[in-house]
Amino acid sequence: QVQLVESGGGLVQAGGSLRLSCAASGRTFSGYAMAWFRQAPGKEREFVAAISWSSSSPYYADSVKGRFTISRDNAKNTEYLQMNSLKPEDTAVYFCAAVYYPSGYGPALARVRYDYWGQGTQVTVSS
């Protein structure tokens, strides 16, 4: 059973920072691409960022490019999302996701169907 558990969400003022973590367990994640998605109230889930197994060519949604940084530590089966210069429109539940995709990189990571999902962590940015 694959499990993804997010942590690090919370309430922050506009302009502030948060770091989300996603711990994966249940199997080896060799070859797995990992990503972050978010869903705001009344809106569809949207892609935020993704990173390949080798950590090459991370890919970001235009709305977060230059403010968010995705990374991973394969030895710890953990991925991270450093969020800086947060805006009220970043308020959402953030989900981590994973898919076996050893050849994936760049924009393809936003289009692939992710098989495993975490339960989500709330991020609220006040103005």
Side-chain angles (χ1 to χ4, degrees), residues 39-120:
Q39 187 167 20
K43 294 187 177 181
E44 292 188 354
R45 186 173 60 196
E46 65 174 357
F47 171 82
V48 175
I51 189 166
S52 65
W53 160 247
S54 64
S55 297
S56 63
S57 302
Y59 188 71
Y60 300 92
D62 288 343
S63 58
V64 306
K65 201 172 296 182
R67 299 187 298 123
F68 291 10
T69 301
I70 188 171
S71 61
R72 64 190 292 167
D73 184 337
N74 289 338
K76 296 181 179 179
N77 278 350
T78 301
E79 71 162 341
Y80 306 96
L81 186 68
Q82 178 66 43
M83 305 185 295
N84 298 330
S85 302
L86 282 161
K87 305 175 181 179
E89 50 264 45
D90 294 318
T91 295
V93 177
Y94 283 72
F95 300 89
C96 70
V99 63
Y100 182 72
Y101 195 18
S103 61
Y105 68 97
L109 299 180
R111 298 190 295 266
V112 68
R113 174 184 172 182
Y114 285 81
D115 294 324
Y116 303 106
W117 295 84
Q119 82 290 347

